[in-house]
Amino acid sequence: MQWETVIGLEVHVQLATKSKIFSGSSTAFGAEPNTQASAVDLALPGTLPVPNEQAFRYAILFGLAINADINKRSVFERKNYFYPDLPKGYQTTQLDEPIVGPGVVDIELSDGSSKSVRIHHAHLEEDAGKSLHEDFHGMSGIDLNRAGTPLIEIVSEPDMRNSEEAVAFAKKLHGIVTSLGICDGEMSQGSMRFDVNISVRPKGQEEYGTRTETKNLNSFKFMERAIKLEVERQIDVIEDGGTIRQETRLYDADKDFSRAMRSKEEANDYRYFPCPDLLPVVFDDSYIEAIRKEMPELPDARKQRFVESYALSDYDASILAADAATASYFETAQAVSSDAKLSANWVMGELSGRLNSEELSIAQSPVEAKAMGELVLRVKDGTISSSGAKKVFNTLWESEGKSVDQIIDANGLKQVSDTGALEAIVDEVLANMADQIAQYQEADDKKRKKLMGGFMGPLMKASKGQGNPKLFNEILQRKLNN
Amino acid sequence: MSFSSDDIKNVAHLARLHVSDENADKLGADITNILTLVDQLQAVDTQGVEPMAHPMDAVQILRADDVTETNQRDKYQACAPETEEGLYLVPRVIE
């Protein structure tokens, strides 16, 4: 049987406000536990929430960016459930009257095609605190610093059909919210978290299968993996004659395994009702239009600009323009080096590889954009070879504060490009390589190419690694081929 | 609409309230009475009436995005049953 996967996403985006959604507590990441949890966040009796206007502005900005309807009137509800990191016993959220109505996000796929994913709505709500289950002699530890951090929850329609589409959608949202500056996009700090609804159905069947929800994925890689595992699991269950239970699942990245959470049947009875502490929030057209005027450049427009102003390929431009931090890094590097293509290669190659292997975001890169630009400039003007540049890059990565030129000088990486000096070295080296020269001259073109390496080694050695390899190659060709 | 003692127990469980069997029967009858009143309200034709989200006919005031709270952890934690390393300790919860 051929199966079709159906995927919908719920995406929690932490808004980059300074203070919480209903209190004046700081939202800064990484503070000592409970030092940013005030009386309102702790739900002490007698406290009243007062909403943060900036959270609404950010939500409206997002809605406008995806061409969604903005609801001029929105209402907060109480979603009731018990958990220790939710001190009020309910989450203040929106249900029937969310701030952002239906919209659309376009995604590009690796085969060059594109697809529209419909957004059902996006609503404002507060984040919960954090529960720590280890090391407290049988107790759980609760940190409420995160409680009350403003979130928008973006709910998609079930429009995605495989993990590639789901990841492309997630990345596109990441690009949009970081470009808008409404979220810092730091996935490792939980700034964006994904709940994935997955079901399978026989290909051609219209009706959806029973879905499961895998909660709280905080990286694109884990999301892709969790989807693949869950699709395989569901197909196995059905093909073995079983049925899928509607349930919430947790993916454990360390064990690469997902398990069902305890039955949510009862817990799903959230008994929503309008929050009596908060009045309806109302905006007029001129307020919304003023926000529209502040709309910064979005990834699609930026990609187009990169193709046009820097003559980058579609592929390069889409990667570099995808999120605000990468785009600004690239533009700084290219402004310093005045070489867009070479800057693009370094950002997407050496830098991105190293960031990935060390699981860092580009904002956390030890090599700053300006230094990267200086490095590219020195490759471009021939001061260093590409292998020398890799050494400079590694040194920049390990040791902060040194400039590219200082590193080049300190490590003797400057290439010798004086053709007279290089020619003298070539003559000296060739004088002792009569056998190899004879062998080379008897060889055909294809073999000659291979034999060149045998000359380059001694030349680089004789020049203490500082000879310009490109010029060495030219001189060699000239001397050997006549 | 009637409310059985099983309904009472379910709602009580969701709200983490302890309700004895005896009380469950009594509360079931009380709430059924209240719901009878609600049924009367339900009979009113409300076509074209916009649902109210709040009894006050007013609009929410918003605040500027400023950090106005300072760290008062020691005071808040003075009334907590148990704390450690700045965390509130609670009976172990694990999904």
Side-chain angles (χ1 to χ4, degrees), chain A residues 17-25 33-35 37-39 42 50-54 75 82 84 132-133 136-143 259 261-262 266 269 271 274 276 278-280, chain B residues 10-11 13-16 50-54 56-73 76-77 79 82 84-95:
Chain A
T17 55
K18 296 196 283 287
S19 66
K20 293 189 178 177
I21 185 167
F22 297 124
S23 82
S25 304
N34 291 307
T35 54
S38 67
L42 296 174
V50 187
N52 182 343
E53 181 177 5
Q54 185 73 327
V75 171
F82 270 94
L132 305 161
H133 301 298
F136 298 103
H137 37 88
M139 308 277 277
S140 290
I142 307 294
D143 176 7
R259 62 183 171 83
M261 288 168 76
R262 84 182 146 71
E266 60 171 38
D269 191 349
R271 295 149 293 139
L278 292 161
L279 292 156
Chain B
N10 182 38
V11 173
H13 174 67
L14 290 173
R16 300 297 187 274
E50 205 181 310
M52 284 164 74
H54 200 279
M56 270 168 68
D57 186 18
V59 165
Q60 180 64 47
I61 304 294
L62 306 175
R63 47 169 256 277
D65 182 24
D66 295 322
V67 175
T68 52
E69 294 287 343
T70 53
N71 175 18
Q72 307 282 341
R73 184 174 78 182
Y76 294 136
Q77 296 204 331
C79 58
E82 210 172 336
E84 191 175 311
E85 293 169 28
L87 298 162
Y88 294 92
L89 294 193
V90 299
R92 192 177 176 84
V93 275
I94 200 138
E95 269 294 348

Side-chain angles (χ1 to χ4, degrees), chain A residues 43-59:
Chain A
L44 293 187
T47 55
L48 263 186
V50 187
N52 182 343
E53 181 177 5
Q54 185 73 327
F56 285 88
R57 298 179 65 86
Y58 283 166

